Amino acid sequence: MTESVVKGGAEGRWYDARAMAQALVLNATYEPLSVVPTRRAVVLLVREKAEVVHTDGRRWASEHTSVPVPSVIRLLHYVKVPFERRVPLSRRAVFGRDHGSCQYCGRAAENLDHVLPRSRGGAHTWENVVAACRSCNARKGDHTPEEVGLRLVSAPQAPRHHGWLLIGLASPPHPSWRAYLEDTG
Ligand SMILES: [Zn+2]
């Protein structure tokens, strides 16, 4: 394999524009954790906080060290994912989770619906927000689903699918990430 060398300066500056990409970070358990600039992934390698899982063959070199330019790295120590790291609740994310269909009747959704209405103390959380069609949303109003004879197709949950990490990602995911981002259930 031919390796081209990407030169880094003494302060770890990054010179190769092609390398201004992103790397997938896996937890020690191989679960996808986040996406970081490749530069940040290189720092984790240099500091021996992570190991290379996949590289495109190039190397990053500074005065003192040289590491592969990674597209996937794995942290050497397990990181417990805090609550705050959950996927932010947004209309786009909820519609994505609910496949754009009304969670009461299955038709095309147009609104976000609070299962327990906000006026009744319902929270704005993944567990209480669903996609709904205009008709079901209007029918519910300030009622609970039971009060107006509606039933959720399933209990709403915060997304666990790893692919959710990619929401808002500017560029397409690197092909080497695919194996780690597929739904593991
Ligand atoms: Zn509906």
Side-chain angles (χ1 to χ4, degrees):
M1 185 192 295
T2 327
E3 291 186 339
S4 65
V5 174
V6 184
K7 285 284 181 195
E11 321 85 28
R13 281 179 61 194
W14 198 262
Y15 292 104
D16 187 343
R18 286 175 313 152
M20 296 295 282
Q22 295 176 307
L24 178 66
V25 181
L26 304 178
N27 213 336
T29 49
Y30 287 91
E31 286 159 352
L33 206 51
S34 65
V35 171
V36 299
T38 308
R39 182 180 54 230
R40 171 79 186 135
V42 164
V43 170
L44 290 168
L45 293 177
V46 170
R47 292 187 183 161
E48 299 180 342
K49 304 276 188 205
E51 66 175 14
V52 177
V53 174
H54 194 275
T55 172
D56 61 6
R58 287 177 294 148
R59 293 188 75 83
W60 178 91
S62 77
E63 245 175 272
H64 309 290
T65 187
S66 154
V67 296
V69 174
S71 62
V72 182
I73 62 169
R74 171 178 168 263
L75 298 180
L76 297 178
H77 296 284
Y78 180 71
V79 172
K80 215 176 155 185
V81 181
F83 182 78
E84 295 73 30
R85 290 287 303 280
R86 300 205 319 178
V87 178
L89 186 64
S90 68
R91 180 189 164 89
R92 181 160 77 137
V94 170
F95 271 58
R97 180 196 63 183
D98 296 344
H99 307 290
S101 63
C102 175
Q103 294 302 290
Y104 299 107
C105 74
R107 281 180 292 184
E110 291 157 304
N111 295 88
L112 285 185
D113 178 74
H114 290 89
V115 180
L116 178 64
R118 301 216 75 178
S119 60
R120 307 269 291 263
H124 189 64
T125 59
W126 278 106
E127 291 80 5
N128 193 49
V129 175
V130 295
C133 71
R134 200 168 294 165
S135 151
C136 289
N137 188 232
R139 181 167 156 194
K140 266 192 76 238
D142 285 337
H143 300 281
T144 66
E146 297 76 31
E147 287 169 357
V148 291
L150 287 174
R151 233 169 71 195
L152 284 167
V153 293
S154 61
Q157 291 180 341
R160 296 171 208 280
H161 296 222
H162 301 314
W164 286 90
L165 285 165
L166 300 182
I167 285 178
L169 193 67
S171 50
H174 191 279
S176 68
W177 300 1
R178 192 170 304 142
Y180 303 97
L181 296 175
E182 275 165 6
D183 184 11
T184 51

